[in-house]
């Protein structure tokens, strides 16, 4: 699947398209060069669900946890990881990545390559590509 986003105004539409594709899948692995829009898309994803906290890249904390209420009023979570700084798989295991991966909540991972071998089989891989200053192409695998 391919989603083209030509402006920030189209982000929510891109999130909706992605959600239709996902079904019950909850682990999303985002690849793309710096500046491709990984964090910006994740911000829109979180806002789509009504997350009220400020959504920022967890580059130094590794994981940010955001909460929202589902249609039944139950508290749900979105885990946002940025693994850019990790040098070894053991570092991810040390902070308990597996607990996040095998939870029922959304887990959005930037720079997932270092943990690829432990990601669940149904992980959705999203490659973000810069087309020009305002346009991004998302290839969903």
């Amino acid at each position: 699947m391919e989603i083209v986003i030509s402006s920030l105004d189209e982000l929510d539409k891109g999130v909706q398209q992605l959600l239709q594709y996902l079904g019950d899948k909850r682990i999303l692995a985002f690849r793309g060069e710096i500046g491709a829009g990984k964090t910006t898309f994740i911000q829109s994803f979180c806002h789509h669900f009504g997350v009220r906290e400020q959504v920022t890249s967890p580059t130094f904390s590794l994981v940010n946890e955001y909460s929202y209420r589902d249609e039944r009023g139950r508290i749900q979570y979105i885990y946002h990881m940025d693994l850019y700084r990790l040098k070894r798989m053991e570092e991810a295991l040390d902070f308990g990545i597996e607990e996040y991966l095998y939870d029922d909540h959304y887990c959005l991972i930037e720079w997932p390559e270092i943990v690829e071998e432990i990601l669940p089989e149904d992980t959705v891989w999203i490659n973000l590509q810069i087309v020009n200053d305002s346009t991004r192409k998302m290839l969903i695998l």
Side-chain angles (χ1 to χ4, degrees), residues 25-130:
K25 296 177 181 141
R26 296 286 184 258
I27 309 298
L28 287 68
F30 291 84
R31 292 189 281 204
E33 62 186 277
I34 291 176
K38 295 179 293 295
T39 301
T40 301
F41 186 82
I42 290 170
Q43 289 169 336
S44 186
F45 186 95
C46 291
H47 291 147
H48 175 84
F49 284 97
V51 168
R52 295 177 190 254
E53 298 104 326
Q54 182 177 3
V55 177
T56 59
S57 180
T59 303
F60 296 102
S61 62
L62 299 178
V63 181
N64 287 343
E65 182 178 295
Y66 308 111
S67 63
Y68 66 95
R69 292 199 179 270
D70 66 13
E71 62 280 347
R72 294 182 175 170
R74 296 174 302 189
I75 294 178
Q76 301 293 326
Y77 297 97
I78 297 173
Y79 305 121
H80 177 197
M81 298 181 189
D82 183 333
L83 306 182
Y84 182 77
R85 294 184 317 118
L86 298 187
K87 303 291 184 238
R88 300 179 340 272
M89 167 77 77
E90 291 75 23
E91 293 174 281
L93 296 173
D94 287 347
F95 80 75
I97 191 169
E98 291 175 305
E99 292 176 37
Y100 296 102
L101 295 177
Y102 296 98
D103 192 300
D104 289 336
H105 302 289
Y106 284 106
C107 184
L108 314 177
I109 308 167
E110 296 185 52
W111 306 102
E113 293 79 6
I114 199 149
V115 296
E116 185 170 351
E117 67 187 63
I118 65 167
L119 293 177
E121 280 186 35
D122 65 347
T123 296
V124 176
W125 289 86
I126 300 171
N127 296 336
L128 281 124
Q129 300 173 347
I130 298 172

Side-chain angles (χ1 to χ4, degrees), residues 3-18:
I3 299 172
V4 176
I5 298 171
S6 299
S7 70
L8 292 175
D9 293 336
E10 294 181 6
L11 279 170
D12 192 53
K13 180 181 170 189
V15 169
Q16 290 175 25
Q17 289 176 299
L18 176 62

